[in-house]
Amino acid sequence: MSKDKPTAQKPLDQYTANVLQNGISRRRFMTGAAMGTGAMAFAGLTGGVAEAKPMEAGELLAKSADGGATLSFMPKPRPIADSEIASTQRFDVVVVGAGASGVPAALSAAESGAKVAVLQKQAIVVSQGNTGSGLDLKTSNKAGIEALVNRLMSDSAHRCSPALVRAWAYHSGEAVSWVIDRAREGGAQVEDQGTKPQHGIKGITEYPLNFVTSYFGPKPYTAGDGMRALAKTAEKAGVKFFFNTPAQQLIQDEAGRVIGVIAQDRDGRYHKFMANKGVILSSGDYQNNEAMCDFFLPDLKHFERKQMERTGDGFAMAYWAGGVIEPVGHTKMLHDFDAGPASMCDMPFLAVNRKGERFVNETVAMSLMNNYLRDAENAGHYSQVFDANYMTQAAGWPGKLVDPEGLKKYMPEDPAEKHGVYPSQTNTFVADTLEELAQKLGCDPATFVANVKRYNELCKTGKDEDFGKPADKMLPVVKPPFYGIHRRMRISAVCSGMLVNENHQALDADGNPIGGLFVIGNLGGGFYGGVDYPLTVFGLSLGRCYTFGYLTGKHVARL
């Protein structure tokens, strides 16, 4: 029996039981094929999604080499003969993917005494974003921490794993502080912003709640630069990085334990990287895999992708090792913090779509706006509109206002220095007339002006008869100059993945740990569960990646 598998399985929590019942695994496809259900196996797994268009759904099914069924985007890997292997190297821990979870995992494992290899598809370490958050346990009250845990579970419609959310809550401060310290050793440009950026936690609890918030910046410096600095620290600790060496498939022994990885170098040669203690998959999401997106997130068809080469490689490897993918309805992250100030993104200014029509109660958070903009015409585009009075009239709103002088760096038409932004992404405009502003925002002027006029009438009465926005959030657009921030919702990440336990060890279709296989980052499941990534805690995504990389690296190294 594998030393990773307990002799007696403990009772399953509700999250795990749900994923085992409804998730995607080889076990379920094999059972469906054996019963002769064909495309019905697909329909059953997706809660009936396939029933409306059985022919299209059937195209997603493929016959696997073992005679069973699988998804067409999860083909069984071709067996690679020993004669094709150019070299074999042995390590304690092999990490697949050098990003915001993989690099911390590698360094953490090395600091715990392990011999570590990192396999990276790209030529460099790759990560995105700027902010990573963790809770400062020393200055936070436990009742406040538990209130935040409850809020995060509520953000996920209570479909997440409480154990994983609590693991972040009680270890993230330590992990984020560790990342800051070790990244600085590698020369990173990073600071701890504390609780200052955490506008979204207001009102969650009356008890003290404080944060360690890493910030790799200002832009265009990002967490990608920070992780490359952290990788330098990892190399000094003995970690070996193999770039341009994408993993192809996992190696399992007769008992099913994962004992290594086969990867391919830039010349097409195959190499074995054997792992004495375990393999940690941290290869990211699947946003650039069209077939996977059509299956798991069909409503994102018209949205642009912010990242490249996120093709779901790790999903396929874990799936064929016996892992379980979370059910259809994966959590997605779409936002635009670059068009204008991020601190104003959730402020409920008048919002209009590409035509210039008001389309929503503007108290809806930016992270949810994509749900109103799924059609091909809008494709995630909308604009926030306000007038010259915004600094006084919106002073009491959640968030942080940036004054007209500060807005200039977000204006492509203004010659002000574009410090701390991506100049190509700035999309804020000012105009003396509404017609001129409409043209700059790409809206039909007549439609835009008519909708602003209607909104101003509602503001005057204090009753939003169109969308029900509270009167204290109804700010008229009447005094020039007029401002507009054209935001473009693009897919930043897909945050659902493989079923894991509290140690981030992959689980099979029976809920048992798969020996030697661990999954972290956006490839790991269970931390989210809602349709959209929540912005309650600013920097939660990177904070989660840092934390679980740090914890999993230590855990696997000590096996």
Side-chain angles (χ1 to χ4, degrees):
M1 178 176 290
S2 168
K3 65 180 179 180
D4 295 315
K5 185 176 290 188
T7 55
Q9 185 179 348
K10 63 182 181 180
L12 298 176
D13 59 76
Q14 190 57 51
Y15 162 77
T16 302
N18 175 63
V19 176
L20 291 177
Q21 181 178 357
N22 300 296
I24 310 299
S25 68
R26 282 291 296 137
R27 174 72 56 81
R28 293 181 66 86
F29 276 105
M30 289 294 289
T31 302
M35 293 174 63
T37 55
M40 288 303 294
F42 172 87
L45 288 174
T46 60
V49 173
E51 294 176 6
K53 297 181 179 181
M55 293 302 293
E56 292 183 17
E59 293 173 3
L60 285 168
L61 284 174
K63 186 174 182 179
S64 63
D66 54 16
T70 185
L71 292 166
S72 61
F73 51 81
M74 291 284 186
K76 188 172 185 179
R78 176 187 69 84
I80 297 172
D82 287 343
S83 60
E84 299 179 76
I85 302 299
S87 72
T88 299
Q89 299 185 57
R90 296 189 177 277
F91 297 87
D92 295 319
V93 180
V94 177
V95 179
V96 178
S101 56
V103 177
L107 176 55
S108 177
E111 289 186 348
S112 298
K115 182 181 178 183
V116 184
V118 179
L119 308 179
Q120 174 72 336
K121 181 196 301 187
Q122 294 91 347
I124 60 172
V125 169
V126 177
S127 185
Q128 293 78 33
N130 297 91
T131 303
S133 60
L135 278 170
D136 184 355
L137 298 185
K138 293 180 181 178
T139 59
S140 297
N141 184 279
K142 192 173 187 300
I145 294 171
E146 285 298 323
L148 178 61
V149 167
N150 181 70
R151 171 57 185 272
L152 291 176
M153 290 193 294
S154 177
D155 287 340
S156 290
H158 298 277
R159 296 175 66 237
C160 56
S161 165
L164 293 179
V165 177
R166 284 194 172 90
W168 169 83
Y170 289 99
H171 297 281
S172 54
E174 174 189 352
V176 174
S177 295
W178 175 84
V179 165
I180 292 173
D181 178 68
R182 300 303 193 270
R184 280 178 179 158
E185 286 184 27
Q189 187 173 299
V190 60
E191 63 176 301
D192 178 5
Q193 294 185 327
T195 309
K196 192 182 303 182
Q198 303 298 340
H199 306 294
I201 65 170
K202 185 177 180 181
I204 289 178
T205 177
E206 65 270 35
Y207 301 104
L209 197 59
N210 290 293
F211 287 78
V212 178
T213 304
S214 64
Y215 178 71
F216 290 99
K219 296 175 182 178
Y221 193 91
T222 70
D225 299 284
M227 292 303 98
R228 285 186 279 277
L230 191 68
K232 292 180 181 178
T233 304
E235 286 181 309
K236 290 180 181 178
V239 175
K240 290 189 176 181
F241 286 83
F242 297 84
F243 295 104
N244 295 306
T245 309
Q248 300 296 307
Q249 54 188 265
L250 298 174
I251 304 169
Q252 293 176 273
D253 64 16
E254 292 182 357
R257 177 182 173 82
V258 173
I259 57 174
V261 182
I262 296 177
Q264 191 173 31
D265 65 22
R266 66 174 69 193
D267 297 319
R269 297 173 301 182
Y270 293 109
H271 302 268
K272 281 186 178 180
F273 295 84
M274 306 305 292
N276 295 329
K277 295 177 180 290
V279 172
I280 301 175
L281 293 180
S282 57
S283 53
D285 66 34
Y286 57 83
Q287 62 181 273
N288 306 120
N289 185 320
E290 186 176 355
M292 287 189 72
C293 286
D294 286 347
F295 181 80
F296 290 110
L297 291 165
D299 53 341
L300 297 188
K301 174 190 280 187
H302 300 299
F303 290 91
E304 294 178 68
R305 273 60 171 161
K306 290 185 73 172
Q307 316 306 336
M308 298 182 295
E309 298 185 310
R310 300 289 193 270
T311 51
D313 306 356
F315 283 81
M317 285 187 279
Y319 170 84
W320 282 102
V324 183
I325 305 174
E326 287 184 289
V328 171
H330 288 178
T331 303
K332 61 190 186 295
M333 181 196 301
L334 295 92
H335 56 60
D336 181 356
F337 291 138
D338 300 307
S343 62
M344 293 172 64
C345 70
D346 280 340
M347 288 187 162
F349 297 114
L350 167 64
V352 298
N353 61 21
R354 267 183 158 169
K355 287 183 179 179
E357 301 167 331
R358 186 181 180 215
F359 64 95
V360 70
N361 178 324
E362 292 88 355
T363 58
V364 170
M366 181 180 67
S367 61
L368 303 173
M369 280 291 189
N370 69 87
N371 296 295
Y372 294 85
L373 303 163
R374 296 176 180 174
D375 58 290
E377 182 177 1
N378 286 298
H381 290 253
Y382 77 103
S383 296
Q384 294 176 289
V385 181
F386 46 96
D387 73 5
N389 290 319
Y390 77 98
M391 286 298 294
T392 55
Q393 294 188 0
W397 289 1
K400 181 182 178 182
L401 289 166
V402 174
D403 63 26
E405 187 65 26
L407 286 180
K408 290 181 178 179
K409 72 176 184 180
Y410 298 97
M411 297 180 176
E413 300 177 328
D414 195 283
E417 181 183 0
K418 300 298 186 280
H419 178 70
V421 300
Y422 289 112
S424 63
Q425 303 297 327
T426 59
N427 221 2
T428 298
F429 302 92
V430 61
D432 291 326
T433 68
L434 291 173
E435 289 83 359
E436 181 186 2
L437 183 63
Q439 292 177 337
K440 291 183 176 183
L441 295 174
C443 300
D444 173 65
T447 303
F448 179 80
V449 172
N451 275 263
V452 173
K453 181 179 178 180
R454 168 62 177 168
Y455 182 70
N456 288 340
E457 291 172 352
L458 295 172
C459 291
K460 188 174 182 179
T461 66
K463 298 178 182 179
D464 184 6
E465 297 178 349
D466 292 348
F467 293 98
K469 186 160 72 170
D472 64 344
K473 300 297 187 296
M474 297 287 288
L475 184 61
V477 182
V478 293
K479 183 180 178 180
F482 304 106
Y483 296 88
I485 304 174
H486 184 111
R487 298 199 185 267
R488 177 176 51 146
M489 304 292 100
R490 293 180 295 160
I491 302 172
S492 295
V494 179
C495 309
S496 296
M498 308 302 302
L499 177 63
V500 297
N501 63 17
E502 62 272 18
N503 291 320
H504 277 264
Q505 188 166 7
L507 301 181
D508 65 17
D510 293 319
N512 293 318
I514 299 173
L517 182 59
F518 300 82
V519 184
I520 55 177
N522 286 330
L523 178 55
F527 190 76
Y528 306 101
V531 174
D532 293 281
Y533 168 83
L535 287 175
T536 301
V537 174
F538 195 60
L540 180 62
S541 180
L542 282 174
R544 170 217 184 190
C545 288
Y546 299 158
T547 301
F548 292 153
Y550 170 73
L551 293 175
T552 305
K554 286 202 299 185
H555 174 76
V556 178
R558 294 172 180 175
L559 290 176

